[in-house]
Amino acid sequence: MSISKAVNRNVTSQNSVEKRLQIQHLIGATQIVASSIGSDVVKGLTQTSKSLPPCYFYDDRGSELFEQICDLPEYYLTRTETTILQQFAGEIANITGVCELVELGSGSSTKTRILLDAYQQLGYPLHYLPIDVCAGILESSAKQLLRDYPLLQVYALAGTYELALAKLLPTQLPSRMIGFIGSSLGNLTPRECDVFFSQITEALQVGEYFLLGIDLRKPKQILEPAYNDSQGVTAAFNLNMLEHLNQQFDGNFDTMQFEHWAFYNESEHQIEMHLRSKRSQIVELRALNLKVNFALGETILTEISRKFDLDTIKQQLTAQGLLPLQVWTDPNQWFGLLLCQMQASSKSEYASYI
């Protein structure tokens, strides 16, 4: 092949990718980061038990570190959920039929490929709508998918779950499936979980689908190493949140003066991740006009990761009008994948309130 023909083919391929990709940076997203999320930072760092919103994990560096976490030997979650998807993706595609795939917190979209392969094998059109707060990884992963799937159409939304779900346009395909895999539901408190489910039901039409991955309860001897890996990647991920705050709010957090601390709270059935101050210190976030005092040993709660009882979560989903059609688990019962369908009653009940 001549050099000119090779160049032309590369240009054609690039044009094809660009034509099949749309990325919307949601209106008001930058203002939300600067005001409302900034207000959450102020609120979290000035209360008695300090905390920070988990969304601050995910700048470009944080997203890269999380992808590394997913490959760690101690981090069973991704490996176990991937095995379940590999085994049952064909069944999922057969149940839903032709549908648009929406993924919340898409990241690198690695596990999504398993679903895309299943729909492609059935000859279905491939429409994918990834949603992520990190625009950088959203764009790079979407472009790679488009190179690997020549018939794929991608319409990406860079923004928060709440904002993106409210902005979803009617699908051009017969149905839609919103996927929330990777056990991210565990990062929400019970109250936040109820609000989230209501947002899902508002985004779905009757008969459409919701695919949910959840980490199930198990002994802390299995759970705690997954959040305290021997290579220190999770610690770096946790500490990077402070670097993200420094960059976004002109701060002076010294990550050398904080340490990663993660443990399983057995009474609450949740992993808790904290950043613990190694000394008494004062930290300033100048863009927020905020100074924060830390005592020696004082912590910032950065994340919870709740572990679920399968029967209880099925009842909660059903109460919200999301009927579990199928539940798949691994042989150890460590992880659950639930395919739910939106029921007519919940839509009518919602309409009665407005």
Side-chain angles (χ1 to χ4, degrees):
M1 180 186 298
S2 68
I3 294 177
S4 61
K5 287 183 179 179
V7 170
N8 287 338
R9 176 171 293 185
N10 288 336
V11 171
T12 300
S13 175
Q14 182 64 28
N15 288 341
S16 174
V17 167
E18 297 299 335
K19 288 179 181 177
R20 293 181 289 124
L21 172 63
Q22 296 182 61
I23 299 179
Q24 182 181 1
H25 297 264
L26 297 177
I27 296 172
T30 55
Q31 288 85 350
I32 287 173
V33 168
S35 59
S36 121
I37 293 181
S39 298
D40 287 344
V41 170
V42 174
K43 180 181 177 182
L45 291 180
T46 54
Q47 60 192 6
T48 303
S49 297
K50 293 180 173 63
S51 66
L52 284 168
C55 63
Y56 279 97
F57 283 128
Y58 299 104
D59 60 354
D60 287 345
R61 176 60 177 155
S63 295
E64 291 171 4
L65 287 166
F66 183 73
E67 294 300 322
Q68 294 177 34
I69 288 171
C70 292
D71 292 330
L72 292 170
E74 299 96 334
Y75 198 76
Y76 63 85
L77 292 89
T78 303
R79 188 167 56 249
T80 306
E81 185 180 38
T82 298
T83 300
I84 296 171
L85 277 168
Q86 289 170 337
Q87 186 173 357
F88 297 108
E91 191 172 338
I92 293 170
N94 276 310
I95 292 172
T96 65
V98 176
C99 73
E100 174 186 77
L101 303 181
V102 179
E103 185 177 5
L104 302 176
S106 54
S108 63
S109 302
T110 303
K111 284 177 285 190
T112 310
R113 290 171 176 269
I114 302 170
L115 291 167
L116 291 174
D117 288 343
Y119 284 95
Q120 182 172 257
Q121 189 170 358
L122 292 171
Y124 293 164
L126 302 180
H127 287 197
Y128 179 47
L129 202 159
I131 296 167
D132 205 286
V133 293
C134 180
I137 196 168
L138 189 67
E139 182 174 359
S140 62
S141 60
K143 287 182 176 179
Q144 186 58 56
L145 282 173
L146 289 165
R147 285 189 286 267
D148 295 341
Y149 294 87
L151 300 180
L152 177 65
Q153 302 285 334
V154 175
Y155 179 63
L157 294 175
T160 63
Y161 300 159
E162 180 180 13
L163 192 59
L165 287 171
K167 293 282 187 179
L168 287 183
L169 299 174
T171 178
Q172 298 176 359
L173 297 183
S175 191
R176 165 180 282 159
M177 179 172 71
I178 297 178
F180 195 48
I181 57 180
S183 75
S184 296
L185 188 73
N187 301 146
L188 306 180
T189 66
R191 182 180 179 280
E192 290 169 339
C193 193
D194 286 339
V195 172
F196 173 73
F197 285 154
S198 69
Q199 291 167 349
I200 293 293
T201 60
E202 289 175 31
L204 290 174
Q205 298 299 312
V206 172
E208 293 183 337
Y209 301 92
F210 178 49
L211 184 67
L212 176 65
I214 54 170
D215 197 20
L216 303 178
R217 294 174 185 172
K218 59 187 70 65
K220 71 175 182 178
Q221 292 82 358
I222 298 169
L223 287 167
E224 288 189 343
Y227 298 85
N228 293 283
D229 65 276
S230 59
Q231 298 178 47
V233 181
T234 310
F237 173 71
N238 200 10
L239 287 162
N240 183 70
M241 179 183 278
L242 303 182
E243 296 286 9
H244 189 190
L245 290 176
N246 283 344
Q247 182 178 12
Q248 189 149 355
F249 297 115
D250 191 18
N252 64 348
F253 275 104
D254 181 354
T255 57
M256 297 298 293
Q257 300 305 322
F258 288 84
E259 61 185 352
H260 167 73
W261 180 42
F263 64 92
Y264 184 53
N265 184 328
E266 295 184 87
S267 62
E268 298 294 332
H269 303 289
Q270 65 188 29
I271 287 283
E272 295 183 12
M273 280 207 335
H274 295 253
L275 290 167
R276 183 162 51 195
S277 180
K278 294 181 179 181
R279 62 178 177 85
S280 298
Q281 55 185 306
I282 299 174
V283 175
E284 187 174 3
L285 294 171
R286 287 175 283 271
L288 297 177
N289 193 28
L290 178 67
K291 289 185 178 181
V292 186
N293 289 286
F294 289 92
L296 171 65
E298 188 174 5
T299 73
I300 311 169
L301 176 65
T302 55
E303 183 180 60
I304 63 169
S305 184
R306 294 166 60 214
K307 309 304 172 184
F308 294 93
D309 174 76
L310 202 49
D311 289 335
T312 301
I313 196 69
K314 286 164 63 178
Q315 293 171 9
Q316 291 173 347
L317 287 162
T318 302
Q320 291 274 4
L322 295 164
L323 179 66
L325 301 179
Q326 291 286 344
V327 179
W328 301 282
T329 63
D330 60 286
N332 293 320
Q333 298 280 299
W334 282 2
F335 201 94
L337 190 67
L338 299 87
L339 180 63
C340 308
Q341 188 173 40
M342 182 71 190
Q343 301 300 294
S345 59
S346 63
K347 279 293 183 184
S348 60
E349 288 169 4
Y350 171 70
S352 69
Y353 288 107
I354 59 176

